[in-house]
Each structure stands twice: as structure tokens, then as C-alpha cells.
Amino acid sequence: MDHNPNVINKLSSHISKDEQFPNCLYLFGHKSTGKSVCLQKFLKDSEDWLCSVVIQAAVCYKSQILYETVINKFFNHKLSRDNNYESYAKIDTVENFLKYLNALDPAKSFLIAIENAERLRDMEFNILPILTKLQEFTGLNISCVLVSHIAFSKFDLSPMIKIHVPDFSKADLIAIFSNDYESLQEEIIADIHKSLFNEIEQNQQLEIVKSLDQEFYKNYLSIFLNVFYKVTRDLSELQLLANKCYKSYYAPVLRREIKVNDVTNLWRNITKLLKTTLNSSSLRIQNLSASEFDGKQVNEDSSGERKKNLRTFAQTLELPFFAKYLLIASFLASHNDAKFDKRLFMKHHGKERKRQQKAKVSEKLNIQFGPKSFTIDRLLAIFYAILDEKVGLTCNLLAQISTLVDLNFLTFSSGENNIMEGTAKLQSTIGLDFAINIGRVVGFNVRQYLTDFH
Amino acid sequence: MVPKLKNVLRKEKQVLANKENDNDMNYLAYKNMWIKTEERIEEIQSKYYNVVLSSLLEFIRKIQFNNAGHLKTVLLLTGINQIDHLKQFKLVSKQIENNVPSIVSVLQSRNCPSVKHAVEFLVNEFINQYDKKTVTKLKRNQLSMCMLQSWYLEEFQASNERPKLIIIMTDFEQFNKTIVQDLINILCFYASNLPFILILGIATAFKSVQNILPSEITNKMDINIFENESSTDMLNRIIDKTILSYRSPFHLSGKSFKVLMDIFLFYDYSLLSFIQGYKIFMLEHFCFSNFGSIIYKFHDENIDKWTHDECETIRRSCFSFRKFAEARKIQEDRVNFLLNDEFFKRKMGKRISKITFFWYFFYCHLKILSILFEDLPQHELGKLPRELYPICITNDITKLDEYKEMFKLLKFVSKEKILIKLEKIIEVIEYFVQDTQQEELRTKMRQLKEPFVYFYKNIEESGINTITNTPASTHERFELKKKGASGRQEMMEKLKEMAKHNIAPVVTKYEQALWECIDYINRKMEKYLRPLQEAPFFYELTVFCNYYSIRKQIMGIPRGALHQALSNPHIYMQCSCCKIPEQERILPSLPDISIVYKLHLECNKFISLYDWLQSFATIIEYNEDEDHISPEVQARFTRSIAELQFLGFIKQSKHKTDTAARLTW
């Protein structure tokens, strides 16, 4: 893995042997730009004079874990069978924490690094302020490094030293990925050995593999990054995708269809795969073949394709008949004003009063306002109005509502606990396209029942 | 679903309580029958789960853990009927444990009201399954991922095959969003050191994962998808193999079958619920209609063993028999049928095998019909056996217009298609021949098969070259093909015209052979696909028709039941004092809540509490002094009001003091 020497230099200029540490440091930069790697590298280099601990704030669902991990590390205490997996001490308050910190050897230097530090804001209110002022509380040469991907101003803390980690440039990425070259090369060789070809063929292929040099791989990387660099700069994600597509890149070379140095043809050969991978880049699915991709995933680029996907989603969704109607009813209830219900759903609703046409300029559609909440009674009333058949109000029907809630198609907006009283309110979470497609499956025109489209 | 399960249990208990001796034949017969059916269903289910399961196991076995630290994740798209899947997940976890070195923990949404609970639950499960001793020494508070890690690394330091830690989340959508995000975050963090595999059971679709987890988290995961077969397909299979099978002496009437099917398709898509419904039908039929013991001895040879009571049951409940007996011309016969057991048994001897025959041929032809209709463009009648069954069993299907239409369509089927169909039909018949032990049935079935084999050959040989048709008609046909897509209306008209042409004496050899075949099939259908009314009498013994008696158990109607209970408590209390001639009548002897309820039915949206109390007081105690209402009455009134509020009929109005608002209509 690569590390940014600039960042490490900055770190070591602030935290160096036999010097007073700053109270606190803020290390920030976008996601996966190598913040942790730099930090780890720095900590490893200064291992012999600095006692340090790295903590993931996301893992500390209670503050006790944070305190105890720090203390365990500083007192060099390891959980094991012998001590019955108990921590060095039970620490669940800040006072205790400080008490144990005070017991540390003042001659040594200490450092607490906290990754995903933005999560600390959601924990107990006193943790952040105390971590930033540990020196004052303990009198030790101790410092805290907060690692985060958000801007410092979001923290509401007194100013401190900030170190920024810049994004990787393309060249950086190519350099980093090139480290994988050896292992990839080995992988290819292993694959050939495993393949079903006869020995002669295998040997020939092995010969070719030798010709796939660093340059070849770098060429591939630059092609790859030209496509993907715009989409994501997440190192791990890029790496995963790069390794995945590499196989298709060198495959024609092994088959002797394209020459090693014929870059244009290699490029042509790979574009299609890169495109499909691009569409699914954020999904991380391993075992779907390219043909399945377009059927199942949401494509963020073209809305046409997205609609198609929604349709297949709606069609393949396994929902009982009445549940589908309930879903539609809930959508209608969420996106129509209750005062129009009579006009929309009753056959003999009387004459519509002529409204004075006031020019309402740029009035927004109800659909665009997001779902409004409705009571279960209204939901059922609309359900019965849009359903042609006559069905009883049975347990099974009512159970469907809770099933839909469980499946996240409906949510309680209020009064979850007093359903019996009739004040519980629900909201539909599905979108217009999805509702229309569900309607299409059961043969129901959703648009016709929306005031927006009248 | 759960109420239905309870109903089954309650009924079973009721049966046992009614007939205290365990030897009760009805119950035994039911039990025997049910165990057999259940076994068969389970066999089918496990076979189908195994398809997904084996690929899943293979995948898990192959997973290699590297230090990249991606959390290995499996998405199991299970379909919507989640209750059914608990069983499947149990099977999955058991199979994984048996086949892959692993420790499995099943996490349900109810186990994790918070991240803390979830983590503690998981760690406890993992350690507990491996060694129980350690876990007893640990405090709940101590259980953390950090602790798990040190335990795991210490425990399996030396061993070269470390067990995989598998977490199964059965109902992913039901987890609280933030909790599940945090939990997966934590798992991702530890994934570089601990071999976690996360299996998520997803009821809707892959999209829900994206809805629940932000890309920040999915980036750290390594997702693989496995998909279950849809529950409808599964149900079709179960129905074909167990419920619509001549082997079972228990069949459903069109109505009751349709009810079960409707519940499945319209309400819940749950196999479990379907099977429980079937079970309740069986229980009712065997134990409450007292047919169990008879079916138990349902064989011509066993007819001598029928007791007097059983004969009586048959006489009383089999309308088809009554009709038959009453139609006897000789007076003596009639009396003997109804009173003389020996005579009855002697005469009835061969009747039972007739019923078996009926079902045997019925189902065979049902399958054939389903094969014929399989890929025809129209489907008003349905195509699957489960769709055709209720129609065939209630009406004479061969008389229906849709049926005739379908057969007309059949005459236009291409040669390849009809050959495939015939092949399948022959297979089905062969299956039925193999399936039975009775020689008589076999020979009959074989006879049925022969013509099909003949037709197959005949059609196969009628080459396309032998067309002896007028050029005009071929031309027209070609044109039709060309214009096929231009419009349905046009196509129809062309077809009609063609039909006219086809009546012309010039026919191809293929058509001739095809028509001959179809006419033959039609004749057979007319002969064997008879509705229930025309089944051999006694059919009531084998068919459950009594759906209305247990409708309540199958379909709960909570509001209806409440209304009935409150407006006519006599149904439940069975006391003489509460007997009321019509529902509107209010007697002072009725329970308080019932009186209050009835009074509130007469009111508008808002009810003044004082007026209500007044009318309540006048009903329960006639008092000259209207202004004075005794504290006792007031207390009773208040309590009833509270109860009504609890039941959700009224609530306190916010606009007016001392006024209640009605909530139901």
C-alpha cells in the first residue's frame, strides 16, 4: 500500500520524540485516501518511543468499549482465557477513565488515534471535549488524533492543528495498483495450471504470460482509470473492480487473438465490459454475469433503463394480490388530498363545483411533495373503493398491512402504539414509477386516480 | 398465520377432550393420514430447498479469507412469505454446521433492539456453541466483538482449519435501519481478523439492501446472490404431488380448494398457512364429520368391519347415497338399505373401488388437460391443474364454452407442439400405470394409452409434404403469417375465414390425424372429467365439502366477530337470560358493555356522555327520580366505556368536553 510521505512528515513534525505533543490533531481527507495507512505507518515507525492505540469509533456502540480498549492497550493487558477475558478494569465513566490514565507512567508518551471520529459526536457529550484536552486532565505527554472525512467545522470544537490528506491522483493510483502486479501474475499462472487445456497449450500460454509485463498492466490501468476515475475515487472499490476486469483484458492475449502490444484492439475488446461494470460499480455483486446485470440493477445514468429496471422489479416482486392493491391504495392515500377522495373514488359524487380558475403559477404536483400520512381507515376505504371484488375485512387482510410495514413499503409516521384507537398514521414509501408498474401488473391505472393528472 | 396454527392445535385438543379414549378411531385415522401427507410435503420441500442449499454450501465451503477485509455476504432472496422461511433458515443453518467447519448464529430482528443487544447476542451464541464452560463464566456485559476476537484467536491459534463464523439474519428488512448499519459496520471492521460470513434473508428484492445500507457500507462488503424458487411454483408442486393425488382418500371440493388457493394468492403467499388450512380441513372431515374411521377402512375387503355407527353416519351424511336409496323402486330394498346393516354392506361392496377409480381417472385426465392447455394463447380456464381442478370438480367442464374454444384452438396447434404434448401425455399415463398396485386399473390405463401411441405415430408420419391443399388457401395462410403482427382484429377475422375454408373437404393428412386425436381426447374428457355430482355415490366420504362450518377458523373476521359478540352475547354465553329475539333489542340482563355498545350504535359521530349514561341507567334500573343515578350504575357505566375505548370503538373527543367520538361505522 502506498502512503503519502507529506502527511507522515507533517505528523512527525507535530508528534516527535522528547517533545511536548499538541493537545489534539485533526487528520482529514476524503474516504479511502490513505489516512489510516499513513497513520499506521507513522505509528509503526515510532513504535519504540510512542505508546499508541487506534480505535474505530464505529465499533464503540457504548463508551465503555472505547475506554477499556484504550486502557487495555496502555497497560499492555490482553484478554485471554487466563483472565477470563476480563478487561484491565471496568471503566464506564470518564472519571474512571481519567483515573486510570493518571496511573500511567508519566515518563512515557501516549497517543490515541480515533478513526471515524465524526461518530464521537453521537456518543456521550463529554467524550469529545475530554479527548481533545487530555493533557490538561492527566498531565501526561498524551495526544489524540481524530481521523475523519468531514470538515472540521462540523465538530464544534475549539481550533486545533489540522492535517489534510489529498485525494489520490491517477498517477498515484497506478503506482499503488502496480504493487499488485506480482500477485496477479501468479494468479494467472495458477489459473492456467488449473485450466482444462492440454499441456502444450498450457505451456504456450505460460510463455505468453511472461510477456505480460508491468508496462502491459500499467496500460490496462490507465484505460481502466480513464473510465472509472470520474465515478469513484474509493481505492478499495477501484482495486476490486480493476482486478475483476483485468481477466477479460488479458484473456484474448492468451488465446492469441490479439497481440500483447496491440493496445487499440485490447481497448476495443474491454470497453463493453467496462461499461456494464461501471453501471454496477457501487453494488459489489460478485456472482452475477453481465447479462443479469441489466435486469436487476438500477442504472443511474439513463432514466430509460432505470424505468425498465423498476418495471422488472415490480413484476418480479412476489406480493399477494391484495397486498399489491393495498400498496397502490397506500400510494394514492399518500399522494392525494383527503378532500378529493370522494370525487376520485365514488361513482356518484355529484357535480363538481366550478372552481374559479385562479392562475396558480408553478404550482408543484402533489407527487413532488413526498408522501403525506394517512390513517388505516382511509387506507382501507380507498382499498375497497379501487377493488372491484367484494372481500371481507378479515384478519388475513389486516395482517397484510403489517407485512407491508415489515417489508418497508409502508412506515408508521406516528402513533405506532395505538393502532386500535385509530390514530396511528402511515406513510407510503414507494415512488410513482413503482406504483404505476405494480398497477400495471394487476391491471389498474394508477394515474387515473391521482389528482395531479386530472 | 399464527392464529391458524393455534386453531389447529385447539381443534386437536378439542377432539381429544371430546373423546377421552386415545383409541378413538377417527383421530387415529386422521393422525395416520396427516403424518403421511406431511412427510410427503416435507420431502418435496426439502428437495426443492436443497437446490439452493447445495450451491450455497458449495459457495461457503469455497470462500477464502484474505486480508482485504471485505465482509463476505450472501443474499438469499427468499420471497415474501417470511414465516415459511424460518424453517428454511433452520435447515440452512443445520446443513452449514454439518457440512462446513463453522459456528452458526441465527439473528432475528427481535433479538436486536439495539446494537449492544445484537453484539452480545452474537458473541454469546458463537462462544456458547463452541464451549459452554467459558460462556457460563462470562458476564453479559463483558461480551463484545473485541472479546470474541481474542477468544477466537486463542482458541484456534494452533488448529489449521479454523471454523467460519456464520451470521444468518433471517428477516433483513425488519431490522431497524440504523442498528443494522452499525452492526454491519462493526462486522466489516472485524472481518479482517475474524472469518465472518453474513447471510441475509431478503423478502423483497435486491433493491432493499441498497435502501437500507449506504454505499459506504456496501463498499466494504462482498455480495453474492442466491435466489429461491418462487413459492407459487413450490405450491404447484406440492398440490400436484400430494393434494391433487388419487392416492389420498381425502379430496377437497371445488369451493374449499378455491378458498385455500385464494388465501394463498390474494392474501399471504404462505405455504405454511396453506398447509395448515388443508390440515384443518382434514381434521374437520375426519373427526367432526366422523368419517375418519370409515376412511381408515376404506377398502372393499374391509367393508365387513364397518360398525353399525359407521353405517349410520354414512346413511345420515351421504346425500348421494340417500338419493340413490330413495330412488329404489322396491319398497323392501329401500327399507333394507336404510335399516339393515348386512344388506347395506353387501350391496355397497363394489362401490368403494368405484370411487377410487373415479379419482384415479379424474386426476389422470386433469393432468392431460393441463398439458393440452399449457401453451395455448387463451387462458380463461387456467392452465395448471390447480386452476382447472375447482372448475372440473364443480361443473361439467366439457359443457363450458371456454372449454370448447380451447379445443378449437387445439386444432391449430403446430405439429411439433402437438407431438411434444402427446409425448408428455404418454408419460403421464405411464406414470399412472406405474403408480398403482391394482391390476385392474393398470390394464384400463394401458388401454387408454394405446390410442395415444397410435396418434403419436400417425401424426409424426403425416409429413408436411402430403399437403393436398388448394394453392389459394396456402397463399392465404402465408399472408396471414406475414401480417400476423399487424393487428389482432384482422388476425381474428382471417382466422374465422380460415375456419370456414377448413370445413372444405380438402384437408391435409396432418390435420386429419390431429383432429382425430383431439376428438378422441375430447371424448375421454367427457367420460372421465365428471363433476362431483356425477361421481359415484358415497363420494361425500372422500370429499370435504363442509367449508362453511369452519370458515371462521380459516378466515378470522375480527371486527365482525366483535360486533356479533357485543350485539348478541347469547352466542357466546349460552345463558337463557341473554336470549334476544332480534339483535336490536336491549335487555337489562345483558352484560354492561353490550348495552353500552348497542346504545352507541344508535348515535351519530359524537356522543354526549351524559345522555349515554342516562339511557344506560334507564335500561338497567327503572328509576322514578331521573336526576339521581346511583354511584354503582355510574361506576358500571364508566367501566364499560373504558372497555369500549380499549376495544377501539370510541375515543375521547378533543373538541367538546364530556363527549366521545365514534371510531367505527
Side-chain angles (χ1 to χ4, degrees), chain A residues 10-50:
Chain A
K10 271 189 203 164
L11 268 175
S12 49
S13 72
H14 291 298
I15 298 175
S16 51
K17 200 174 173 183
D18 304 327
E19 259 180 62
Q20 180 69 26
F21 291 168
N23 242 329
C24 195
L25 278 172
Y26 189 68
L27 186 66
F28 72 111
H30 281 143
K31 281 174 192 168
S32 80
T33 45
K35 298 184 294 280
S36 321
V37 179
C38 289
L39 188 69
Q40 269 159 18
K41 169 80 175 151
F42 168 73
L43 292 179
K44 194 142 199 282
D45 289 346
S46 45
E47 216 171 20
D48 43 339
W49 55 271
L50 182 67

Coordinates of all heavy atoms in Angstrom, one line a residue, chain A residues 10-50:
Chain A
K10 N 4.3 15.7 8.1 CA 3.6 16.6 8.9 C 3.3 16.0 10.3 O 3.4 16.7 11.3 CB 2.3 17.0 8.2 CG 2.4 18.1 7.3 CD 1.1 18.6 6.8 CE 1.2 19.3 5.4 NZ -0.1 19.4 4.8
L11 N 2.9 14.8 10.3 CA 2.5 14.1 11.5 C 3.8 14.1 12.4 O 3.7 14.5 13.6 CB 2.1 12.7 11.3 CG 0.6 12.4 11.1 CD1 0.4 11.0 10.7 CD2 -0.2 12.8 12.3
S12 N 4.9 13.7 11.9 CA 6.1 13.6 12.8 C 6.6 15.0 13.2 O 7.3 15.1 14.2 CB 7.1 12.7 12.1 OG 7.3 13.2 10.8
S13 N 6.3 16.0 12.4 CA 6.7 17.3 12.9 C 6.0 17.7 14.1 O 6.5 18.5 14.9 CB 6.6 18.3 11.7 OG 5.2 18.6 11.6
H14 N 4.7 17.3 14.2 CA 3.9 17.7 15.4 C 4.2 16.7 16.5 O 4.2 17.1 17.7 CB 2.4 17.7 15.0 CG 2.1 18.8 14.1 ND1 2.2 20.1 14.4 CD2 1.6 18.8 12.9 CE1 1.8 20.9 13.4 NE2 1.4 20.1 12.5
I15 N 4.3 15.5 16.2 CA 4.5 14.5 17.3 C 5.9 13.9 17.1 O 6.1 13.0 16.3 CB 3.4 13.4 17.2 CG1 2.1 14.0 17.4 CG2 3.6 12.3 18.2 CD1 0.9 13.1 17.2
S16 N 6.8 14.4 17.9 CA 8.1 13.8 17.8 C 8.7 13.5 19.2 O 8.2 14.0 20.2 CB 9.0 14.8 17.0 OG 8.9 16.1 17.6
K17 N 9.7 12.7 19.2 CA 10.2 12.2 20.4 C 10.7 13.4 21.3 O 11.3 14.3 20.8 CB 11.4 11.3 20.1 CG 11.7 10.3 21.2 CD 12.8 9.3 20.7 CE 13.3 8.5 21.9 NZ 14.3 7.6 21.5
D18 N 10.5 13.2 22.6 CA 11.0 14.1 23.6 C 10.5 15.5 23.4 O 11.2 16.5 23.7 CB 12.6 14.2 23.6 CG 13.1 12.8 23.8 OD1 12.5 12.0 24.5 OD2 14.2 12.5 23.2
E19 N 9.4 15.7 22.9 CA 8.8 17.0 22.7 C 7.4 17.0 23.3 O 6.7 16.0 23.3 CB 8.8 17.4 21.3 CG 9.9 18.4 21.0 CD 9.9 18.8 19.5 OE1 8.9 19.4 19.1 OE2 10.8 18.4 18.8
Q20 N 7.0 18.1 23.6 CA 5.6 18.3 24.1 C 4.6 18.1 22.9 O 4.8 18.8 21.9 CB 5.4 19.6 24.8 CG 4.0 19.9 25.3 CD 3.7 19.0 26.5 OE1 4.6 18.6 27.3 NE2 2.5 18.8 26.8
F21 N 3.7 17.2 23.1 CA 2.7 17.0 22.0 C 1.7 18.1 22.0 O 1.4 18.7 23.0 CB 2.0 15.6 22.2 CG 2.8 14.4 22.0 CD1 2.4 13.2 22.4 CD2 4.1 14.5 21.5 CE1 3.1 12.1 22.2 CE2 4.9 13.4 21.3 CZ 4.4 12.2 21.7
P22 N 1.1 18.3 20.8 CA -0.1 19.2 20.8 C -1.2 18.4 21.5 O -1.2 17.2 21.6 CB -0.4 19.4 19.3 CG 0.2 18.2 18.7 CD 1.4 17.8 19.5
N23 N -2.2 19.2 22.0 CA -3.3 18.5 22.7 C -4.1 17.6 21.8 O -4.4 16.5 22.2 CB -4.3 19.6 23.1 CG -4.4 19.7 24.6 OD1 -4.3 18.6 25.2 ND2 -4.6 20.8 25.1
C24 N -4.3 18.0 20.5 CA -5.1 17.2 19.7 C -4.8 17.6 18.2 O -4.4 18.7 17.9 CB -6.6 17.5 20.0 SG -7.6 16.3 19.3
L25 N -4.9 16.5 17.3 CA -4.7 16.7 15.9 C -5.9 16.3 15.1 O -6.6 15.4 15.5 CB -3.5 15.9 15.4 CG -2.1 16.4 15.7 CD1 -1.1 15.3 15.3 CD2 -1.8 17.6 14.9
Y26 N -6.1 17.0 14.0 CA -7.3 16.6 13.2 C -6.8 16.2 11.8 O -6.2 17.0 11.1 CB -8.3 17.7 13.1 CG -9.6 17.3 12.4 CD1 -10.4 16.5 13.1 CD2 -9.9 17.8 11.2 CE1 -11.6 16.1 12.5 CE2 -11.1 17.5 10.6 CZ -12.0 16.6 11.3 OH -13.1 16.2 10.7
L27 N -6.9 14.9 11.5 CA -6.4 14.4 10.2 C -7.6 14.1 9.3 O -8.5 13.3 9.7 CB -5.7 13.1 10.5 CG -5.0 12.4 9.4 CD1 -3.8 13.2 8.9 CD2 -4.4 11.0 9.8
F28 N -7.7 14.8 8.2 CA -8.9 14.7 7.4 C -8.7 14.6 6.0 O -7.6 15.1 5.5 CB -9.9 15.8 7.8 CG -9.6 17.1 7.2 CD1 -10.3 17.7 6.2 CD2 -8.5 17.8 7.8 CE1 -9.9 19.0 5.7 CE2 -8.1 19.1 7.3 CZ -8.8 19.6 6.3
G29 N -9.6 14.0 5.2 CA -9.5 13.9 3.8 C -10.6 12.9 3.4 O -11.3 12.4 4.2
H30 N -10.8 12.9 2.1 CA -11.9 12.0 1.6 C -11.8 10.6 2.0 O -10.7 10.2 2.4 CB -12.1 12.2 0.1 CG -12.8 13.4 -0.3 ND1 -12.4 14.2 -1.4 CD2 -13.8 14.1 0.3 CE1 -13.1 15.3 -1.5 NE2 -14.0 15.2 -0.4
K31 N -12.9 9.9 1.8 CA -12.9 8.4 2.1 C -11.8 7.7 1.3 O -11.6 8.0 0.1 CB -14.2 7.8 1.9 CG -15.2 8.2 3.0 CD -16.6 7.7 2.6 CE -17.5 8.3 3.6 NZ -18.9 8.1 3.2
S32 N -11.2 6.8 1.9 CA -10.1 6.0 1.3 C -9.2 6.8 0.5 O -9.0 6.6 -0.7 CB -10.7 4.7 0.6 OG -11.1 5.0 -0.7
T33 N -8.5 7.7 1.2 CA -7.4 8.4 0.5 C -6.1 8.1 1.2 O -5.1 8.7 1.1 CB -7.7 9.9 0.6 OG1 -8.1 10.3 1.9 CG2 -8.7 10.4 -0.4
G34 N -6.2 7.1 2.1 CA -5.0 6.6 2.7 C -4.7 7.2 4.1 O -3.6 7.2 4.5
K35 N -5.7 7.8 4.7 CA -5.5 8.4 6.0 C -5.0 7.4 7.1 O -4.0 7.6 7.7 CB -6.8 9.0 6.6 CG -7.4 10.1 5.7 CD -8.6 10.7 6.4 CE -9.8 9.7 6.4 NZ -10.5 9.6 5.2
S36 N -5.7 6.3 7.1 CA -5.4 5.3 8.1 C -4.0 4.7 7.8 O -3.3 4.4 8.7 CB -6.4 4.1 8.1 OG -7.7 4.7 8.0
V37 N -3.8 4.5 6.5 CA -2.5 3.9 6.1 C -1.3 4.7 6.6 O -0.3 4.3 7.2 CB -2.4 3.6 4.6 CG1 -1.1 3.0 4.2 CG2 -3.6 2.8 4.2
C38 N -1.5 6.0 6.3 CA -0.4 7.0 6.7 C -0.2 6.9 8.3 O 0.9 6.8 8.8 CB -0.8 8.4 6.4 SG -0.7 8.7 4.6
L39 N -1.3 6.9 8.9 CA -1.3 6.9 10.4 C -0.6 5.7 10.9 O 0.3 5.7 11.8 CB -2.7 7.0 10.9 CG -2.9 7.3 12.4 CD1 -2.3 8.7 12.8 CD2 -4.3 7.1 12.9
Q40 N -1.0 4.6 10.3 CA -0.4 3.3 10.8 C 1.1 3.3 10.5 O 1.8 2.8 11.4 CB -1.1 2.1 10.1 CG -2.3 1.6 10.8 CD -3.3 0.9 9.9 OE1 -2.9 0.4 8.9 NE2 -4.5 0.7 10.4
K41 N 1.4 3.7 9.4 CA 2.8 3.7 9.0 C 3.6 4.6 10.0 O 4.6 4.2 10.5 CB 3.0 4.3 7.6 CG 4.4 4.6 7.2 CD 5.1 3.4 6.7 CE 6.5 3.8 6.2 NZ 7.5 2.8 6.4
F42 N 3.1 5.7 10.3 CA 3.7 6.6 11.3 C 3.8 6.0 12.6 O 4.9 6.0 13.3 CB 2.9 7.9 11.4 CG 3.3 8.8 12.5 CD1 4.5 9.5 12.5 CD2 2.5 8.9 13.6 CE1 4.9 10.3 13.5 CE2 2.9 9.7 14.7 CZ 4.1 10.4 14.6
L43 N 2.7 5.4 13.1 CA 2.7 4.8 14.4 C 3.7 3.6 14.4 O 4.4 3.4 15.5 CB 1.3 4.3 14.8 CG 0.3 5.4 15.0 CD1 -1.1 4.8 15.3 CD2 0.7 6.3 16.1
K44 N 3.8 2.9 13.3 CA 4.8 1.8 13.3 C 6.2 2.3 13.4 O 7.0 1.7 14.1 CB 4.6 1.0 12.0 CG 5.2 -0.4 12.0 CD 4.3 -1.4 11.3 CE 4.7 -2.8 11.7 NZ 5.9 -3.3 11.0
D45 N 6.5 3.3 12.7 CA 7.8 3.9 12.7 C 8.2 4.4 14.1 O 9.4 4.3 14.5 CB 7.9 5.0 11.7 CG 7.9 4.5 10.3 OD1 8.0 3.3 10.1 OD2 7.7 5.3 9.4
S46 N 7.2 4.9 14.8 CA 7.6 5.5 16.1 C 7.2 4.6 17.3 O 7.0 5.0 18.4 CB 6.9 6.8 16.3 OG 5.6 6.8 15.8
E47 N 7.1 3.3 17.0 CA 6.6 2.3 17.9 C 7.4 2.3 19.2 O 6.9 2.2 20.3 CB 6.7 0.9 17.3 CG 5.6 0.0 17.7 CD 5.7 -1.3 16.8 OE1 6.8 -1.5 16.2 OE2 4.7 -2.0 16.7
D48 N 8.8 2.4 19.1 CA 9.6 2.2 20.2 C 9.6 3.3 21.3 O 10.0 3.1 22.4 CB 11.1 1.9 19.8 CG 11.5 2.9 18.7 OD1 10.5 3.4 18.0 OD2 12.7 3.1 18.4
W49 N 9.2 4.5 20.9 CA 9.1 5.5 21.9 C 7.7 6.1 22.2 O 7.4 6.8 23.1 CB 10.0 6.7 21.5 CG 9.7 7.3 20.2 CD1 10.3 6.9 19.0 CD2 8.8 8.3 19.9 NE1 9.8 7.6 18.0 CE2 8.9 8.5 18.4 CE3 7.9 9.2 20.6 CZ2 8.1 9.5 17.8 CZ3 7.2 10.1 19.9 CH2 7.2 10.3 18.5
L50 N 6.7 5.6 21.3 CA 5.4 6.1 21.5 C 4.4 4.9 21.8 O 4.4 3.9 21.0 CB 4.9 6.8 20.2 CG 3.6 7.5 20.2 CD1 3.5 8.6 21.2 CD2 3.2 7.9 18.8

